Amino acid sequence: MGTTYLHAVASLDGYIADEHDDVGPLHDWYFNGDHPLVEEDHPDVHGAPFRVSAASAEYVRGMWSRQKVLVVGRRQFDLTNGWEGHPPASEHVVVVSHRPRPQGWHPEAPYHFAGSVAEGIARAQELAGDGEIGVGAGDVGGQALALGLVDHVAIDVVPVVFGRGKPYFGTLADGTLMLGDPDVVIQGDGVLHLRLPARSGAGRWSSSTTAE
């Protein structure tokens, strides 16, 4: 079974968007370099062709090339309209939601809907085989981490402070979860890439696995 990552871009104070779901400058580094990340861009969906610094390109290309499935919550799916069936990376996307795929929405897109976080991760593992799984940060990602379903936490930290917004680990409370020391630290242009191992069997937060 492949590695599972909790992954997103975050502000220096740990937010993945502001209170209005605006990412502000968090994703600017995806477009400020000379090195493409993917062979086929969909700038109409993602905003512009992905072009990053050399250091970021080596790291992100490696992660995206190994990632076979992306797990996201319904809010991210709705905000992006599922990237019109073209996620930045992954062959499949699993959406954790109590609501089904919207009627008539890109029927050919390899998107799968699951009613809980645990069900979503299990479905992703079936689809990924030996490939890796990315889990979007926020409530779904935080719940997956709390349930012990995540192997690594990967954060792309951007030097901006939001002050308030949507936390990287969602709204979980109750207790503390210790991660391991970073095993990846890469300085890009306007971003710092960090990866930390989740400690198997470490203290867990909430057992709640709500879906949107």
Side-chain angles (χ1 to χ4, degrees), residues 4 117 121 125 141-152 177 198-206:
T4 299
V117 172
I121 298 295
Q125 290 170 340
Q143 291 169 22
L145 179 64
L147 289 171
L149 301 175
V150 168
D151 299 306
H152 292 273
L177 180 63
R199 291 179 173 174
S200 178
R204 295 180 178 182
W205 288 321
S206 169

Side-chain angles (χ1 to χ4, degrees), residues 74-182:
R74 185 58 180 252
R75 186 165 186 80
Q76 186 172 8
F77 174 85
D78 288 343
L79 286 170
T80 63
N81 197 30
W83 302 282
E84 302 296 342
H86 299 288
S90 296
E91 298 172 2
H92 297 269
V93 175
V94 175
V95 182
V96 177
S97 175
H98 292 312
R99 292 174 284 151
R101 178 198 293 254
Q103 188 173 4
W105 183 86
H106 297 288
E108 77 291 346
Y111 280 54
H112 316 262
F113 287 71
S116 71
V117 172
E119 180 186 339
I121 298 295
R123 181 66 175 130
Q125 290 170 340
E126 293 174 359
L127 293 165
D130 293 332
E132 295 182 353
I133 299 168
V135 184
D139 285 335
V140 166
Q143 291 169 22
L145 179 64
L147 289 171
L149 301 175
V150 168
D151 299 306
H152 292 273
V153 173
I155 307 179
D156 302 319
V157 182
V158 172
V160 60
V161 176
F162 279 2
R164 59 180 63 86
K166 303 302 173 67
Y168 182 96
F169 294 102
T171 55
L172 292 172
D174 301 335
T176 300
L177 180 63
M178 290 296 297
L179 304 177
D181 291 334

Side-chain angles (χ1 to χ4, degrees), residues 12 38 64 192 205:
L12 196 60
V38 294
W64 283 9
L192 178 66
W205 288 321

Side-chain angles (χ1 to χ4, degrees), residues 2-84:
T3 300
T4 299
Y5 293 91
L6 172 56
H7 180 226
V9 184
S11 66
L12 196 60
D13 51 347
Y15 295 107
I16 56 176
D18 69 14
E19 294 174 306
H20 307 290
D21 294 304
D22 189 344
V23 298
L26 289 182
H27 294 175
D28 288 357
W29 65 273
Y30 275 123
F31 314 107
N32 68 359
D34 300 321
H35 299 265
L37 286 180
V38 294
E39 293 183 2
E40 182 182 5
D41 266 315
H42 295 277
D44 54 326
V45 176
H46 303 297
F50 292 116
R51 298 289 189 274
V52 300
S53 68
S56 291
E58 182 177 4
Y59 172 69
V60 177
R61 280 179 193 157
M63 178 179 287
W64 283 9
S65 67
R66 298 187 300 269
Q67 183 176 297
K68 301 302 180 187
V69 184
L70 175 63
V71 180
V72 299
R74 185 58 180 252
R75 186 165 186 80
Q76 186 172 8
F77 174 85
D78 288 343
L79 286 170
T80 63
N81 197 30
W83 302 282
E84 302 296 342

